[in-house]
Amino acid sequence: MKKAEILNSLRVAAVADALGVPAEMKQRGQYQLLGMTGEGTWSQPMGSWSDDTSMTLCLIQNILEQGSADDLLNKFERYMMFGEWTPRGVTFDVGRTCAHAVRQHAINHVPAVQCGDASEQANGNGALMRIAPLAFSLAKQPVDERIRQSIAMTTITHGHPRAVVGSVIYLEVLHELLQGHTLPTALKTVQARVLAVFSGELVMAQELAAYQRLFAIDFGQLPVSAIKTSGYVVDTLEAAVWVALNYQDLQTGLLAAVNLGGDVDTIATVAGSLMSVAHPDQPVPADWWQATLNHELLDKLMVPFAARFGD
């Protein structure tokens, strides 16, 4: 992928996050977003992005610095405690599972690779929302290395196999889109790949069942009423893929995502990454990008990242 296209995709994800922040956890049908707004759920000014983008920036900087898993968790701590990598120096909307991992590392000195909560109740979308940059940095790596890194960067905050499988599916779909394949083709390829990769790992293989609806041929034809939008990792990945299957126009798709109700900032972030990689010729909507806060910080990290990994 060209460096300009990678930069565009990273910007789309940040815009999608900011677009959805005012409506996060509102009920579907009880509001309608038509563009970038402010206030709402978190009483933040227009263009504010959330933990999705802040933690993505931490990952981007860690990749640029060739940092370790412990280095990344240290960055997450500085974000949560001191407001670094935020639009205005203010931290809000920190997920419970991510906060637990940071405390394990900062207070209890648990190694990063062991900090992710492995309980079934910890299957939120806090890894999925921040992990897309790995698709670019690992694009030329063999599948075994891509999956190893996907697992490592997930388990520092989310240790349950279901969350891990969700990250692997998402990143491998992005990988296939980067190769120029369509989303339906990518889903078919990734289904076979993850079945093969996890065939010898019983726990992982069992968790694939949670994602089977995603791989159904007619998944994209489901009515919106069948799409769940909680912070559960399976719901988020399904909702984002459903949007990307049903909307070819980036701006229309992002608006559809943020009007689904529920955890819409993360759904839109994930959907935005999928759509922008699938349609690299579609630029981030200019007025929305201009309304997004703290371009200086976003571009300080996104521009060199795109330059390093772009063709």
Side-chain angles (χ1 to χ4, degrees):
M1 200 172 194
K2 297 176 181 177
K3 62 182 181 181
E5 294 170 341
I6 294 177
L7 179 59
N8 184 66
S9 182
L10 297 173
R11 286 176 171 177
V12 165
V15 163
D17 180 16
L19 198 67
V21 162
E24 185 179 2
M25 295 308 173
K26 290 187 177 181
Q27 189 171 343
R28 183 185 302 168
Q30 295 190 358
Y31 69 97
Q32 185 178 22
L33 291 179
L34 300 175
M36 192 73 75
T37 61
E39 301 308 318
T41 301
W42 296 102
S43 299
Q44 297 295 310
M46 184 173 68
S48 298
W49 25 275
S50 74
D51 56 338
D52 301 51
T53 302
S54 291
M55 296 179 78
T56 298
L57 291 175
C58 290
L59 176 59
I60 288 173
Q61 183 163 340
N62 209 60
I63 291 170
L64 289 171
E65 295 173 351
Q66 298 182 318
S68 66
D70 288 282
D71 293 330
L72 181 56
L73 262 184
N74 287 338
K75 290 179 175 65
F76 289 166
E77 179 188 358
R78 286 155 55 195
Y79 151 64
M80 293 182 187
M81 299 301 296
F82 305 111
E84 296 189 38
W85 298 282
T86 63
R88 299 184 304 118
V90 176
T91 303
F92 66 97
D93 189 23
V94 176
R96 181 179 65 249
T97 305
C98 290
H100 169 80
V102 168
R103 288 193 298 271
Q104 285 285 81
H105 191 251
I107 298 173
N108 299 325
H109 306 294
V110 176
V113 292
Q114 299 174 22
C115 284
D117 190 339
S119 67
E120 190 169 5
Q121 290 70 38
N123 276 307
N125 56 25
L128 198 71
M129 70 185 189
R130 57 170 165 83
I131 209 164
L134 284 179
F136 304 116
S137 64
L138 298 176
K140 297 179 181 179
Q141 297 298 318
V143 62
D144 289 350
E145 178 61 15
R146 295 198 308 269
I147 291 178
R148 186 189 72 80
Q149 289 273 16
S150 302
I151 293 172
M153 291 297 100
T154 298
T155 54
I156 61 173
T157 57
H158 290 69
H160 193 276
R162 193 172 308 154
V164 171
V165 169
S167 290
V168 170
I169 291 171
Y170 175 44
L171 287 170
E172 287 302 299
V173 168
L174 284 172
H175 179 79
E176 291 302 306
L177 294 175
L178 285 168
Q179 309 312 305
H181 301 300
T182 65
L183 182 52
T185 299
L187 288 165
K188 184 177 180 180
T189 300
V190 171
Q191 181 184 27
R193 182 175 298 154
V194 294
L195 281 170
V197 167
F198 293 135
S199 61
E201 300 180 40
L202 181 59
V203 174
M204 292 291 194
Q206 289 175 334
E207 291 300 336
L208 288 173
Y211 295 93
Q212 285 312 297
R213 191 171 80 145
L214 185 69
F215 296 117
I217 295 175
D218 60 350
F219 174 70
Q221 299 169 26
L222 290 175
V224 67
S225 59
I227 303 303
K228 300 177 182 179
T229 56
S230 74
Y232 176 42
V233 62
V234 177
D235 289 349
T236 296
L237 187 56
E238 283 191 349
V241 170
W242 183 88
V243 168
L245 286 169
N246 279 282
Y247 294 90
Q248 303 304 305
D249 176 72
L250 178 63
Q251 183 164 332
T252 305
L254 290 179
L255 284 175
V258 298
N259 282 301
L260 283 175
D263 199 1
V264 292
D265 60 327
T266 301
I267 291 168
T269 297
V270 176
S273 294
L274 291 167
M275 287 188 289
S276 60
V277 174
H279 307 285
D281 57 322
Q282 296 191 34
V284 59
D287 55 337
W288 293 352
W289 169 246
Q290 289 304 318
T292 304
L293 298 181
N294 205 340
H295 287 187
E296 181 180 5
L297 175 57
L298 294 171
D299 282 349
K300 180 182 178 181
L301 294 171
M302 291 179 176
V303 169
F305 180 89
R308 177 174 297 185
F309 297 106
D311 295 330

